[in-house]
């Protein structure tokens, strides 16, 4: 599942910033890929829909807590695991 989470996260981010998903790694810093707060909010909504989870962050909190693509994946992974065990 973790490979799926990364692949989907990279794909969704790449769509928003019009880049190739292969250019995105877990270490990619969000601040270096020209993703704006509105686009990050859209990414969060798309991830919620894709994985049927709820990410309880507003855009300002997201910028503070999510520095890399790996951070986004970790947050999603944790919520998916929590949802699966509920």
């Amino acid at each position: 599942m973790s490979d799926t989470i990364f692949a989907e996260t990279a794909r969704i981010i790449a769509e928003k910033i019009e880049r190739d998903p292969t250019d995105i790694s877990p270490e990619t810093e969000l601040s270096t890929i020209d993703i704006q707060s509105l686009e990050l909010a859209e990414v969060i909504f798309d991830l919620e829909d894709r994985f049927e989870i709820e990410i309880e962050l507003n855009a300002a909190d997201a910028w503070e807590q999510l520095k890399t693509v790996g951070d986004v994946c970790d947050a999603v992974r944790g919520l998916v695991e929590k949802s699966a065990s509920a």
Side-chain angles (χ1 to χ4, degrees):
M1 175 61 113
S2 61
D3 291 339
T4 302
I5 290 173
F6 172 73
E8 285 296 303
T9 301
R11 181 189 62 76
I12 289 168
I13 290 172
E15 282 180 5
K16 298 298 178 202
I17 61 171
E18 299 178 356
R19 287 175 83 175
D20 189 319
T22 61
D23 293 340
I24 297 173
S25 74
E27 295 79 26
T28 301
E29 293 183 15
L30 297 175
S31 63
T32 65
I33 57 173
D34 297 326
I35 190 164
Q36 305 301 315
S37 58
L38 178 60
E39 293 164 328
L40 183 57
E42 291 173 352
V43 166
I44 290 170
F45 295 143
D46 289 349
L47 289 169
E48 288 177 327
D49 288 344
R50 168 62 180 89
F51 293 105
E52 299 179 358
I53 56 173
E54 185 174 336
I55 301 171
E56 296 184 21
L57 294 172
N58 65 38
D61 289 340
W63 277 115
E64 291 300 316
Q65 296 178 26
L66 305 175
K67 301 293 186 191
T68 67
V69 174
D71 292 341
V72 175
C73 293
D74 290 344
V76 170
R77 187 175 300 107
L79 291 168
V80 168
E81 289 170 1
K82 182 178 176 183
S83 174
S85 66

